C-alpha cells in the first residue's frame, strides 16, 4: 500500500526539483509554493502558486501575467475558475493524480504543458490539451 505524501514532503520535493525552483512554506498543514515557469524558449514567464493540503487536490493558480487580459474577450479554456485563474490539469475521477504522487513530478510538468497549450491557443484559438472541460467558477476565491 502506498503512503500519502505529506505537505512537508511535497515541499522538500518541490524545493529540490530543477523545474520548480521557487519559494514556499508549510504552515498549519498547508503547502504554498510559488515559482516562475516558462513553458518554452519563446514563451512568456508565468508566476505560479501551488497550494496543497492532505486529502485535497493541489490548486494551481496563475498569479501573473493576467491570463484573462491575454485572452482578450475569449473565455479561458480548461480552467476551474477565472478569478483567480485556477488551472485544470487532471480529471480527479481518473486517478491521474493521487495523494501518493509527487507534485513536483506530476502537477508541475502538467502546468508547463498546460501553459504550452495555452500559448498555442492564444495564437490559433485551438485548444490542444484535450481532456474534459470543467464547470467554471468565476467567483473570487
Amino acid at each position: 500500500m502506498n503512503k500519502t505524501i505529506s505537505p512537508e514532503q511535497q515541499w522538500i520535493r518541490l524545493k529540490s526539483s530543477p523545474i520548480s525552483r521557487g519559494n514556499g512554506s508549510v504552515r498549519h498543514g498547508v503547502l504554498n509554493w510559488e515559482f516562475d515557469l516558462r513553458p518554452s524558449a519563446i514563451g512568456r514567464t508565468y508566476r505560479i502558486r501551488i497550494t496543497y493540503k492532505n486529502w485535497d487536490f493541489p490548486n494551481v493558480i496563475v498569479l501573473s501575467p493576467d491570463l484573462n487580459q491575454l485572452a482578450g474577450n475569449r473565455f479561458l479554456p480548461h480552467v476551474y475558475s477565472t478569478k483567480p485563474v485556477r488551472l485544470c490539469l487532471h480529471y480527479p475521477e481518473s486517478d491521474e493524480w493521487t495523494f501518493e504522487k509527487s507534485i513536483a513530478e506530476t502537477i508541475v510538468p502538467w502546468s508547463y504543458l498546460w501553459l504550452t497549450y495555452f500559448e498555442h491557443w492564444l495564437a490559433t484559438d485551438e485548444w490542444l490539451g484535450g481532456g474534459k472541460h470543467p464547470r467554471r467558477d468565476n467567483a473570487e476565491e
Side-chain angles (χ1 to χ4, degrees):
M1 178 179 204
N2 292 335
K3 289 183 71 176
T4 298
I5 301 175
S6 72
E8 294 80 5
Q9 292 167 317
Q10 296 284 11
W11 179 87
I12 291 168
R13 290 173 184 219
L14 286 163
K15 189 155 183 71
S16 63
S17 172
I19 65 169
S20 62
R21 298 283 173 171
N23 293 296
S25 64
V26 178
R27 298 207 195 299
H28 307 291
V30 178
L31 165 68
N32 283 291
W33 187 260
E34 289 187 17
F35 67 105
D36 291 329
L37 180 161
R38 189 173 179 196
S40 69
I42 60 172
R44 292 174 180 82
T45 298
Y46 298 87
R47 186 73 175 167
I48 304 295
R49 177 186 298 138
I50 298 173
T51 304
Y52 173 71
K53 61 183 175 181
N54 272 336
W55 309 112
D56 202 358
F57 293 105
N59 280 314
V60 180
I61 294 172
V62 179
L63 300 174
S64 67
D66 182 342
L67 300 192
N68 292 296
Q69 185 176 26
L70 292 175
N73 292 328
R74 298 178 287 174
F75 288 108
L76 292 175
H78 222 63
V79 294
Y80 287 117
S81 66
T82 58
K83 294 179 184 175
V85 175
R86 192 162 62 100
L87 305 184
C88 177
L89 301 175
H90 64 97
Y91 185 55
E93 295 176 21
S94 71
D95 287 338
E96 292 171 300
W97 192 88
T98 62
F99 308 115
E100 297 86 19
K101 293 185 178 178
S102 166
I103 291 170
E105 295 172 5
T106 54
I107 298 298
V108 170
W110 296 345
S111 298
Y112 275 84
L113 191 56
W114 192 100
L115 287 163
T116 299
Y117 293 140
F118 173 74
E119 290 193 341
H120 178 269
W121 173 81
L122 282 176
T124 67
D125 252 357
E126 179 184 17
W127 179 256
L128 298 178
K132 292 188 176 207
H133 293 276
R135 180 184 63 78
R136 274 174 229 221
D137 176 10
N138 293 327
E140 295 281 343
E141 287 190 295

